Amino acid sequence: MRRADREMEDPSEIEAVLHQNRVVVLGVVDGDEPYLVTVNYGYADNKLYLHGAKEGRKASSFATNPRLCFTVTDQHQLIDHKSSACHLSYGFRSVVGYGRVRELESDQEKTLAFEALLGQVVRPEHKVSKTLLRQTACWVIDIESMTGKQQLLPEHSMESKE
């Protein structure tokens, strides 16, 4: 990382970003071109859990090339240094990681994936039906590496418009 002063060195800070958010952007390869896909996720035990349609661009990309990268960001706030437009910046925390995605096959694995997903969106009371398990694809990303970065917010920041 070029800016070592912005690196999150504490693994618990990186995990906090993954636990506190709900949306991940995946970078995958589709044929000979890059493809970004934004999806909900659940994070547990150093793994990201995803769900979706059994067919489509995302599913076929995963099946063709399981290597991917991902990013999760939060705490977006404009930092206005008041001196000029060139001195505006943004406060954030982000995690960038790399891994391999694989489809989950058994009802037990898929149930764990849904539990992670539902827990991430604060709906752990929802039950997972056998019909849902049959109709939906679930994947897990086995994370191989990840780093965290943050731009600390100074006293003079503007409220986020998100």
Side-chain angles (χ1 to χ4, degrees), residues 133-154:
L133 293 177
R134 278 193 309 273
Q135 293 176 343
T136 308
C138 291
W139 298 274
V140 62
I141 298 172
D142 296 305
I143 298 171
E144 296 171 351
S145 67
M146 60 183 164
T147 57
K149 183 176 178 180
Q150 61 188 351
Q151 166 68 31
L152 298 176
L153 301 173

Side-chain angles (χ1 to χ4, degrees), residues 24-159:
V24 61
V25 178
L26 306 173
V28 300
V29 177
D30 182 25
D32 62 350
E33 62 183 26
Y35 170 53
L36 295 176
V37 59
T38 305
V39 296
N40 297 84
Y41 72 95
Y43 176 73
D45 301 321
N46 202 44
K47 298 177 186 316
L48 294 177
Y49 292 94
L50 317 170
H51 77 295
K54 291 183 176 190
E55 296 177 358
R57 189 173 185 186
K58 176 177 62 182
S60 66
S61 296
F62 288 172
T64 304
N65 186 345
R67 298 270 316 137
L68 56 71
C69 61
F70 65 88
T71 187
V72 174
T73 64
D74 74 1
Q75 296 189 2
H76 306 126
Q77 287 188 310
L78 182 64
I79 301 171
D80 185 352
H81 298 283
K82 306 288 187 204
S83 57
S84 76
C86 294
H87 292 98
L88 294 172
S89 59
Y90 234 72
F92 65 91
R93 295 187 315 166
S94 68
V95 172
V96 172
Y98 297 86
R100 293 183 180 275
V101 64
R102 60 186 165 87
E103 188 169 357
L104 301 175
E105 299 296 333
S106 74
D107 284 356
Q108 182 180 6
E109 287 180 310
K110 290 172 85 171
T111 298
L112 288 173
F114 272 108
E115 287 172 354
L117 284 156
L118 292 168
Q120 195 86 11
V121 296
V122 195
R123 299 253 188 228
E125 71 279 1
H126 287 270
K127 300 297 179 210
V128 179
S129 70
K130 294 281 186 193
T131 302
L132 180 64
L133 293 177
R134 278 193 309 273
Q135 293 176 343
T136 308
C138 291
W139 298 274
V140 62
I141 298 172
D142 296 305
I143 298 171
E144 296 171 351
S145 67
M146 60 183 164
T147 57
K149 183 176 178 180
Q150 61 188 351
Q151 166 68 31
L152 298 176
L153 301 173
E155 237 177 90
H156 305 288
S157 63
M158 298 173 68
E159 286 299 315

Side-chain angles (χ1 to χ4, degrees), residues 12-29:
S12 66
E13 289 181 29
I14 292 170
E15 290 224 333
V17 172
L18 295 174
H19 280 296
Q20 293 169 4
N21 290 282
R22 295 175 179 91
V23 176
V24 61
V25 178
L26 306 173
V28 300
V29 177

